[in-house]
């Protein structure tokens, strides 16, 4: 057995884990880089992912995203149907409100993402705009946008910044429920 260390005892040097197996590029399986660690990719991607996860964890991300997507979906539904099927009935202020309310919904969703301190105000305005889109925008984008808007605004309204994440809370409750024996 050949050893790179100069001492005869393998226990004199600190050991960080199992010895690394070096493989040449020819021995590596297809599609796997020999230099990449086995658990993931090398580089700044994990650090960027953790920064995004930390940013996302400090705000009602899913609520704001759903509300913004609902506004975009209703607007696209109105634009596509207006140009192709002529389904939309426009009567004065309802024609303008059909575009204004989804724009307000999308704006409230984006504002919830970037200003979570005012999430209650934005979610109430988003909820009212969503309910108004039922009348003005093809039943709220044929109900899809309406449901997304209602879910998004209620998720943003109910989000609490000091609350422990659900996964950790459920794991801790599971550990407390199982008897230690």
């Amino acid at each position: 057995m050949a050893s790179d260390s100069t001492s005869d005892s393998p226990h004199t040097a600190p050991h960080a884990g199992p010895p690394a197996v070096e493989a040449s590029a020819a021995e590596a399986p297809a599609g796997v880089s020999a230099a990449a660690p086995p658990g993931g990719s090398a580089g700044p991607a994990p650090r960027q992912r953790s920064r995004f996860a930390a940013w996302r964890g400090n705000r009602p991300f899913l609520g704001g995203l759903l509300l913004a997507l609902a506004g975009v979906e209703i607007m696209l539904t109105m634009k596509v149907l207006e140009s192709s099927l002529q389904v939309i009935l426009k009567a004065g202020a309802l024609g303008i409100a059909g575009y204004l309310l989804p724009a307000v919904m999308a704006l409230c969703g984006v504002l919830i993402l970037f200003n979570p301190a005012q999430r209650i105000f934005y979610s109430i305005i988003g909820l009212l705009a969503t309910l108004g889109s039922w009348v003005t925008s093809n039943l709220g984008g044929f109900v899809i946008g309406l449901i997304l808007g209602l879910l998004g605004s209620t998720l943003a309204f109910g989000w609490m910044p000091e609350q422990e994440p659900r996964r950790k809370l459920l794991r801790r409750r599971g550990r407390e429920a199982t008897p230690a024996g």
Side-chain angles (χ1 to χ4, degrees):
M1 178 164 139
S3 174
D4 289 342
S5 68
T6 55
S7 72
D8 294 330
S9 173
H11 299 289
T12 56
H15 186 63
V21 177
E22 294 182 17
S24 67
E27 294 175 1
V32 176
S33 170
S41 63
R47 191 177 85 189
Q48 288 176 349
R49 184 177 301 138
S50 66
R51 280 188 11 208
F52 176 70
W55 179 82
R56 187 185 68 200
N58 293 331
R59 59 201 71 244
F61 183 77
L62 186 61
L65 184 67
L66 286 177
L67 188 57
L69 286 176
V72 169
E73 191 272 334
I74 293 173
M75 243 187 285
L76 287 177
T77 301
M78 287 193 57
K79 190 66 178 166
V80 167
L81 291 177
E82 178 185 347
S83 63
S84 64
L85 299 177
Q86 299 296 326
V87 173
I88 300 171
L89 297 174
K90 292 191 177 186
L94 285 181
I96 295 170
Y99 288 104
L100 183 65
L101 291 178
V104 167
M105 289 169 60
L107 180 65
C108 284
V110 170
L111 287 172
I112 285 171
L113 290 176
F114 291 104
N115 190 5
Q118 301 296 323
R119 72 188 184 284
I120 293 174
F121 175 72
Y122 296 138
S123 64
I124 290 173
I125 297 298
L127 180 71
L128 293 174
T130 301
L131 292 175
S133 73
W134 175 261
V135 176
T136 62
S137 306
N138 293 328
L139 301 176
F142 294 111
V143 184
I144 296 169
L146 179 76
I147 291 173
L148 287 175
L150 290 174
L151 282 173
S153 58
T154 54
L155 282 173
F157 186 83
W159 180 79
M160 298 182 65
E162 299 86 25
Q163 187 176 11
E164 188 175 351
R166 298 291 289 173
R167 289 182 183 159
K168 290 180 183 177
L169 186 65
L170 291 174
R171 252 187 261 139
R172 185 171 19 144
R173 284 185 185 166
R175 278 188 236 133
E176 291 172 358
T178 57

